[in-house]
């Protein structure tokens, strides 16, 4: 992305909560990937008029506008599938926050739709914990390769606003892994890990400093895809990993919510 951009992709941001606000900030600041992008406006259910000079536009205008070529989906998880489908059907490129969808079947369908249309490129609100926490599952798959499900349980005390999901996984060479998601009053957003290997144990991730600008790093990768700078092999590997993780999340949900 060192070359001067021959063109700029018009972008609309859908949803202006924390993620959407950071996306808009990064699009407006002078970063290498931002040079290829032009923020056209934002879509929100709330009547906001404008934010820092960026105009609010309707969803219908965003879908029909020839200026808008890219949509950043930063809304609630439960709305991702519908927004992705609508923008893909309108011929737009799509960047979406985790999780892509709340079912693996929908993700596969939308991925096929993207390949056809766009070319290179609380539980009710946020989905079951295996989906809302899918970034942690993706991290484990990135570290240890494809995983298989051994067991999964979900403990809930709605009157106390408490939830604990415990998942037992297995690597391809039959090594056990456990993943626990726990939420409740007084519980902070922390990550604890404990890995035990033949050569020793790891209780903490090496300190590499604060992970700043994670949304911007994601944007840089997205622009590289728009410019065709990822190989078919890299794109296929990413697709396989994401669909594997979504399939695992769906399997976990079924184990925790058996049909009566």
């Amino acid at each position: 992305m060192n070359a001067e951009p021959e063109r700029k992709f018009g972008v609309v941001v859908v949803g202006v909560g924390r993620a959407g606000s950071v996306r808009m900030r990064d699009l407006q600041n002078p970063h290498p990937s931002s040079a290829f992008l032009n923020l056209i406006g934002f879509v929100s259910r709330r009547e906001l008029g404008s934010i820092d000079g960026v105009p609010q536009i309707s969803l219908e205008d965003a879908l029909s506008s020839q200026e808008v070529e890219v949509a950043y989906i930063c809304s609630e998880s439960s709305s991702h599938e519908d927004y992705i489908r609508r923008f893909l059907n309108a011929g737009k490129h799509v960047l979406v926050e985790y999780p892509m969808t709340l079912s693996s079947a929908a993700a596969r369908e939308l991925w096929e739709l993207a390949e056809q249309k766009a070319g290179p490129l609380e539980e009710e609100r946020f989905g079951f914990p295996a989906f809302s926490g899918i970034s942690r599952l993706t991290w484990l798959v990135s570290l240890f390769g494809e995983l298989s499900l051994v067991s999964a349980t979900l403990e809930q005390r709605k009157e106390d606003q408490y939830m604990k999901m415990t998942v037992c996984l297995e690597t391809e060479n039959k090594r056990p892994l456990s993943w626990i998601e726990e939420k409740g009053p007084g519980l902070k957003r922390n990550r604890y890990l404990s890995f035990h290997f033949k050569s020793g144990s790891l209780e903490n991730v090496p300190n590499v400093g604060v992970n700043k600008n994670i949304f911007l790093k994601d944007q840089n990768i997205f622009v590289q895809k728009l410019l065709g700078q990822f190989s078919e092999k890299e794109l296929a590997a990413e697709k396989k990993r994401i669909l594997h993780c979504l399939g695992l999340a769906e399997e976990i949900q079924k184990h925790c919510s058996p049909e009566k």
Side-chain angles (χ1 to χ4, degrees), residues 37-86:
L37 303 168
N38 178 35
L39 180 56
I40 302 295
F42 68 90
V43 173
S44 176
R45 293 193 302 266
R46 295 173 289 166
E47 291 295 332
L48 300 174
S50 65
I51 298 176
D52 295 331
V54 180
Q56 181 173 2
I57 64 176
S58 69
L59 176 61
E60 290 71 24
D61 286 346
L63 290 167
S64 62
S65 173
Q66 296 299 311
E67 284 187 284
V68 175
E69 299 170 272
V70 173
Y72 283 14
I73 310 301
C74 308
S75 56
E76 295 173 351
S77 303
S78 58
S79 65
H80 288 182
E81 179 182 341
D82 180 58
Y83 280 131
I84 294 170
R85 181 175 283 106
R86 295 182 71 171

Side-chain angles (χ1 to χ4, degrees), residues 93-112:
H93 298 278
V94 173
L95 182 153
V96 60
E97 305 295 340
Y98 279 118
M100 177 181 174
T101 64
L102 298 183
S103 80
S104 61
R108 291 179 186 277
E109 177 194 345
L110 292 175
W111 211 296
E112 290 176 3

Side-chain angles (χ1 to χ4, degrees), residues 25-259:
R25 181 199 68 192
D26 289 341
L27 284 163
Q28 292 176 286
N29 287 339
H31 302 295
S33 60
S34 300
F36 293 86
L37 303 168
N38 178 35
L39 180 56
I40 302 295
F42 68 90
V43 173
S44 176
R45 293 193 302 266
R46 295 173 289 166
E47 291 295 332
L48 300 174
S50 65
I51 298 176
D52 295 331
V54 180
Q56 181 173 2
I57 64 176
S58 69
L59 176 61
E60 290 71 24
D61 286 346
L63 290 167
S64 62
S65 173
Q66 296 299 311
E67 284 187 284
V68 175
E69 299 170 272
V70 173
Y72 283 14
I73 310 301
C74 308
S75 56
E76 295 173 351
S77 303
S78 58
S79 65
H80 288 182
E81 179 182 341
D82 180 58
Y83 280 131
I84 294 170
R85 181 175 283 106
R86 295 182 71 171
F87 277 101
L88 287 178
N89 280 322
K92 316 296 185 184
H93 298 278
V94 173
L95 182 153
V96 60
E97 305 295 340
Y98 279 118
M100 177 181 174
T101 64
L102 298 183
S103 80
S104 61
R108 291 179 186 277
E109 177 194 345
L110 292 175
W111 211 296
E112 290 176 3
L113 182 61
E115 290 171 343
Q116 296 169 8
K117 296 283 187 179
L121 338 149
E122 303 136 342
E123 185 173 338
E124 291 78 13
R125 298 175 64 199
F126 302 107
F128 187 78
F131 285 98
S132 59
I134 203 166
S135 61
R136 268 81 71 190
L137 182 57
T138 303
W139 182 68
L140 290 174
V141 170
S142 296
L143 287 176
F144 299 105
E146 291 195 357
L147 305 171
S148 57
L149 178 64
V150 177
S151 66
T153 59
L154 180 67
E155 177 188 352
Q156 285 184 304
R157 297 197 301 271
K158 292 187 177 181
E159 66 277 9
D160 298 326
Q161 298 181 303
Y162 175 82
M163 178 281 298
K164 182 178 181 180
M165 181 184 71
T166 304
V167 180
C168 295
L169 301 161
E170 197 173 62
T171 65
E172 289 183 318
N173 60 353
K174 304 300 181 182
R175 301 298 184 185
L177 274 175
S178 295
W179 169 36
I180 298 172
E181 290 278 316
E182 189 175 23
K183 295 181 181 179
L187 294 178
K188 297 181 180 179
R189 296 183 63 178
N190 291 322
R191 180 170 66 180
Y192 304 97
L193 60 88
S194 180
F195 295 141
H196 301 278
F197 306 98
K198 289 182 179 179
S199 58
S201 299
L202 177 66
E203 301 290 340
N204 293 289
V205 175
N207 187 3
V208 292
V210 179
N211 190 8
K212 295 181 179 180
N213 300 322
I214 56 174
F215 291 102
L216 178 58
K217 292 174 183 176
D218 188 45
Q219 175 178 290
N220 292 342
I221 294 171
F222 181 69
V223 168
Q224 287 178 285
K225 292 177 182 177
L226 290 177
L227 298 175
Q229 295 176 357
F230 270 58
S231 69
E232 290 295 324
K233 183 178 180 181
E234 289 173 309
L235 292 172
E238 180 185 48
K239 175 182 176 181
K240 182 181 179 183
R241 183 180 68 252
I242 291 173
L243 292 179
H244 171 68
C245 292
L246 287 166
L248 267 180
E250 190 166 74
E251 195 177 353
I252 292 166
Q253 183 178 16
K254 289 177 180 177
H255 270 68
C256 292
S257 308
E259 294 183 5

